[in-house]
Amino acid sequence: MLPDQDTHHDVQTLDKTIASLETELSAARSLQESLLNGSPVAEEFKISESIGRRKYLMVIGINTAFSSRKRRDSIRYTWMPQGEKRKKLEEEKGIIIRFVIGHSAISGGIVDRAIEAEDRKHGDFMRIDHVEGYLALSGKTKTYFATAVSLWDANFYVKVDDDVHVNIATLGHILSKHTLKPRVYIGCMKSGPVLSEKGVRYYEPEHWKFGEQGNRYFRHATGQLYAISKDLATYISINRHVLHKYINEDVSLGSWFIGLDAEHIDDRKLCCGTPPDCEWKAQAGNTCAASFDWRCSGICNSEGRIWEVHNKCAEGEKALWNATF
């Protein structure tokens, strides 16, 4: 009989080996589907296949829309490194950051061409096979994780909205504490009411599935920012065609993990308020990983106010480049 510690290590090693094989299978399926559908294969996929997949700490996908150019620029000039610094972030820290966007209903239209021009300038987009639309966020989230896990081999895959301020090093430190856990779902966990009245914000058309009127959702991460481990991203990729999509994206993600042996981790550093909340916490040495206004489900008027949040709540550039994960 092996000691308990050795047995636990062997089980973890076996879990990771199985997960790696499942990821490769998922990537092959994604490539096969792209070829069968006549879709272009992402250059990053071709490169990763030809040189071998290196390991990254995390992939951060920033959910964005065609109309959000000002939001994207505000992020580029605050918390998201640009140019050579972004390449350095990938190579030295193992952190990938991309704006995630699909295509319009008429592919190749004016909005698609505008994104292509923006991407030629900045090179920071991840284009996915998805028709954009607010009511299609659950599908976009599913496609994002499936695509990201096929492109990059990372410990974690993060989704964040484009009106949220992020401290990358603080986020990296939070996630790196859980790298040895195979199936983790990290965010600010909540359980809001199931709204059955048509016309209200966050109305749930499938409210009857959640029991009697007045019931609440199962515990799930709020949608502004959350992270999942590689095993869970692989699970989404493999089963994406049969995973149910609720109207609210954060509810959908939580529902996909209900029957799994996944650990839910509630970390309130991922949902701080804007100043003075995140400012006071930073001054006390308890820097936030993500900051936004709950009443706006993001930073209110983020194009202008994210500068204020960055000036008062940012961890500082040295914190990122001196970080060891």
Side-chain angles (χ1 to χ4, degrees):
M1 292 290 291
L2 290 170
D4 289 345
Q5 187 175 0
D6 291 342
T7 302
H8 179 65
H9 180 268
D10 289 343
V11 170
Q12 284 189 325
T13 302
L14 183 59
D15 281 346
K16 287 185 176 292
T17 301
I18 293 172
S20 179
L21 292 172
E22 288 176 337
T23 300
E24 296 303 325
L25 176 61
S26 174
R29 284 174 173 167
S30 296
L31 178 60
Q32 182 186 45
E33 286 185 10
S34 295
L35 293 173
L36 291 175
N37 295 333
S39 302
V41 179
E43 289 300 318
E44 286 153 315
F45 185 90
K46 295 176 183 176
I47 293 171
S48 67
E49 288 298 296
S50 63
I51 65 175
R53 289 158 63 87
R54 65 156 285 182
K55 191 74 175 182
Y56 295 92
L57 171 64
M58 60 180 169
V59 175
I60 303 176
I62 308 171
N63 180 42
T64 193
F66 291 118
S67 59
S68 298
R69 174 63 187 265
K70 290 183 179 180
R71 287 187 179 183
R72 291 191 291 274
D73 283 341
S74 70
I75 287 176
R76 290 179 179 121
Y77 299 132
T78 51
W79 64 264
M80 179 182 180
Q82 293 296 292
E84 291 302 316
K85 287 185 177 180
R86 185 165 58 83
K87 292 180 181 178
K88 181 181 178 182
L89 185 69
E90 297 178 4
E91 294 169 1
E92 296 185 8
K93 303 300 179 183
I95 298 173
I96 303 287
I97 308 177
R98 295 289 189 277
F99 289 105
V100 180
I101 198 164
H103 55 83
S104 63
I106 305 175
S107 188
I110 187 170
V111 290
D112 293 293
R113 294 198 299 272
I115 291 295
E116 289 167 6
E118 190 178 340
D119 194 25
R120 284 194 296 271
K121 179 178 179 180
H122 297 284
D124 55 7
F125 278 94
M126 175 182 172
R127 302 299 301 274
I128 62 175
D129 186 14
H130 169 80
V131 178
E132 285 292 324
Y134 180 77
L135 296 179
L137 284 180
S138 293
K140 183 175 182 179
T141 300
K142 189 193 300 185
T143 304
Y144 158 61
F145 284 124
T147 306
V149 80
S150 73
L151 293 176
W152 298 287
D153 181 10
N155 288 322
F156 297 98
Y157 299 85
V158 181
K159 176 264 176 182
V160 61
D161 289 337
D162 62 5
D163 54 358
V164 173
H165 182 271
V166 177
N167 280 319
I168 302 170
T170 304
L171 177 61
H173 286 306
I174 291 172
L175 299 185
S176 63
K177 295 176 182 177
H178 307 288
T179 51
L180 294 180
K181 301 174 182 177
R183 293 171 298 279
V184 289
Y185 171 35
I186 307 171
C188 286
M189 299 295 164
K190 65 174 186 176
S191 178
V194 179
L195 302 177
S196 58
E197 184 181 346
K198 286 186 178 180
V200 300
R201 191 179 187 188
Y202 304 129
Y203 163 66
E204 176 57 74
E206 298 178 85
H207 55 86
W208 62 274
K209 288 185 177 180
F210 297 91
E212 302 303 319
Q213 188 171 358
N215 279 0
R216 302 177 72 84
Y217 287 113
F218 41 79
R219 192 72 61 178
H220 62 278
T222 187
Q224 287 82 1
L225 185 148
Y226 47 72
I228 62 174
S229 60
K230 177 184 174 181
D231 281 19
L232 293 183
T234 302
Y235 170 79
I236 291 173
S237 178
I238 293 172
N239 297 285
R240 62 189 180 276
H241 299 300
V242 295
L243 292 175
H244 185 68
K245 296 176 295 207
Y246 289 98
I247 192 71
N248 296 310
E249 156 243 344
D250 52 353
V251 172
S252 291
L253 187 75
S255 74
W256 300 337
F257 305 146
I258 282 291
L260 302 184
D261 185 15
E263 182 178 354
H264 289 53
I265 297 173
D266 181 28
D267 195 314
R268 309 318 283 186
K269 282 190 175 183
L270 300 178
C271 57
C272 295
T274 55
D277 181 44
C278 59
E279 182 180 13
W280 290 343
K281 290 175 179 175
Q283 291 172 355
N286 192 27
T287 305
C288 296
S291 302
F292 56 88
D293 296 305
W294 282 102
R295 62 190 175 91
C296 295
S297 297
I299 298 174
C300 301
N301 186 26
S302 66
E303 298 95 328
R305 288 194 60 240
I306 198 170
W307 293 91
E308 175 198 353
V309 178
H310 188 68
N311 289 335
K312 295 182 178 180
C313 304
E315 61 197 354
E317 201 168 347
K318 287 185 178 179
L320 178 59
W321 301 118
N322 293 337
T324 54
F325 304 114

